[in-house]
Amino acid sequence: MTKKFSLAHLTALGCSPPELTYVASRAGYDYVSLRPIYMGLPDEPNYELATNKQMFRETKSALLDTGLQLLDIELARVYDGVDPDSYVPAMEVAAELGGSHILSSIWTDDRNYAIEQFAEICELAEPFGLTVELEFVPIASVDHLSGAIDVLRRANQDNAGLMIDINHFYRSGDKVEDLDAVPRDWFRYLHLCDASTKPLHSKEEMTRILREERLYLGEGGIDVKSIVDRIPEIPYSIEMPHAKRVQELGYEEFARRCLQTAKDYFNEPLRSNDSPYSRVYGNGG
């Protein structure tokens, strides 16, 4: 089966949703993944399509022009004081643009509250035909596989699933064998990247790596294949933000290299001390 790839918005966050769609199309992606839920993070652009009607129309036109599909939107976080109803406008946007999934993660230590709010998000998403994929994140409250599985089982929602991010899975210290216990229908897409395997000793450093310095497949030290081989064939959303490379290459060329190195990683046998990254681009980045 031919692998399908999406361009995750965090890889080229400086691109507006319509710009990202055209970049993804020209670079050869099958899908695009958008961030129309504004989180108010430092230096993060506001791409709230539910309130920016002009940008919404341009995004819809870009999807029609390119023939790309919207894979997912993000990020419906669960945190203290969250109002799940606030995510409904973004769900409406996703449905109108033909999206399939909405990504969620948990940032409160009140487990019962988290499960209740996550379940409500799933219930709100269901009429729009959206599934809700729970991602565990090393700097969040649910930061490993077993914690995510516990939330999903206790929330008990038919449209809930599990989204594995390769960097986060490695940082969590989970074992690939643990993925065998996950129901197969919980897997709908994953976040693909590589990263340095050196120990990280602070939340600040983890945050910097996951938002600014992920690596091409085969360039870091994560055994990506061992993880994806435990998961059914699903779309791979390439989330590889790298601030320095974007500055050097521009968004479109960087997105193209992210995709090409990913395809090379899966399609070409490796020699000893070799990687798809080094064969295609040498050591110059």
Side-chain angles (χ1 to χ4, degrees):
M1 186 181 296
T2 302
K3 290 178 171 58
K4 300 290 187 180
F5 297 91
S6 183
L7 178 58
H9 211 154
L10 192 61
T11 303
L13 194 55
C15 294
S16 68
E19 291 170 335
L20 188 77
T21 303
Y22 286 115
V23 165
S25 177
R26 291 192 297 265
Y29 288 82
D30 305 287
Y31 306 95
V32 66
S33 300
L34 301 177
R35 290 171 71 95
I37 299 173
Y38 182 55
M39 295 186 288
L41 299 176
D43 301 320
E44 179 152 348
N46 184 344
Y47 298 135
E48 201 166 47
L49 296 178
T51 57
N52 191 329
K53 300 301 183 181
Q54 178 63 27
M55 187 180 290
F56 172 78
R57 289 191 293 269
E58 292 172 356
T59 303
K60 190 172 184 178
S61 294
L63 289 166
L64 290 171
D65 289 346
T66 61
L68 288 190
Q69 292 179 265
L70 173 62
L71 181 64
D72 68 287
I73 66 165
E74 56 181 73
L75 176 64
R77 296 176 297 160
V78 176
Y79 56 89
D80 293 323
V82 68
D83 178 6
D85 284 330
S86 68
Y87 296 133
V88 170
M91 294 175 185
E92 293 174 343
V93 163
E96 188 166 348
L97 295 179
S100 299
H101 317 294
I102 180 168
L103 187 63
S104 183
S105 55
I106 293 174
W107 302 76
T108 173
D109 294 330
D110 186 335
R111 180 56 65 94
N112 291 331
Y113 173 81
I115 292 164
E116 291 172 2
Q117 299 306 302
F118 177 77
E120 185 172 347
I121 291 170
C122 293
E123 291 166 359
L124 291 168
E126 196 276 333
F128 297 103
L130 297 170
T131 67
V132 182
E133 314 307 319
L134 181 60
E135 175 184 30
F136 57 93
V137 183
I139 59 173
S141 298
V142 174
D143 58 1
H144 55 282
L145 179 62
S146 63
I149 290 174
D150 177 65
V151 170
L152 290 168
R153 292 199 185 283
R154 292 174 61 187
N156 193 29
Q157 299 293 313
D158 290 340
N159 65 330
L162 178 70
M163 207 291 296
I164 298 293
D165 179 293
I166 298 297
N167 174 73
H168 303 347
F169 186 88
Y170 176 79
R171 293 295 171 198
S172 74
D174 287 306
K175 303 292 189 293
V176 293
E177 295 81 7
D178 298 335
L179 293 169
D180 296 341
V182 179
R184 300 294 90 182
D185 60 355
W186 283 7
F187 294 113
R188 300 185 180 107
Y189 71 100
L190 63 79
H191 275 170
L192 196 63
C193 68
D194 203 343
S196 169
T197 55
K198 70 177 183 180
L200 302 179
H201 302 293
S202 69
K203 181 177 179 179
E204 290 72 24
E205 184 67 1
M206 284 188 181
T207 302
R208 186 184 67 80
I209 294 294
L210 67 87
R211 291 189 65 88
E212 298 181 11
E213 201 174 303
R214 302 201 209 182
L215 303 177
Y216 300 129
L217 294 198
E219 181 186 11
I222 301 175
D223 185 357
V224 177
K225 283 184 179 178
S226 71
I227 300 171
V228 300
D229 284 349
R230 298 275 178 164
I231 296 173
E233 190 76 29
I234 52 178
Y236 299 155
S237 185
I238 294 183
E239 189 172 78
M240 295 184 190
H242 196 294
K244 182 179 179 182
R245 284 177 175 158
V246 162
Q247 191 173 38
E248 293 172 349
L249 300 170
Y251 285 118
E252 186 168 332
E253 179 58 25
F254 177 59
R256 185 175 288 109
R257 294 191 184 196
C258 289
L259 178 59
Q260 187 59 57
T261 49
K263 289 182 174 180
D264 291 346
Y265 177 86
F266 289 114
N267 293 334
E268 297 184 14
L270 298 183
R271 300 189 301 268
S272 177
N273 298 319
D274 196 7
S275 74
Y277 163 79
S278 62
R279 282 203 300 277
V280 176
Y281 303 113
N283 295 318

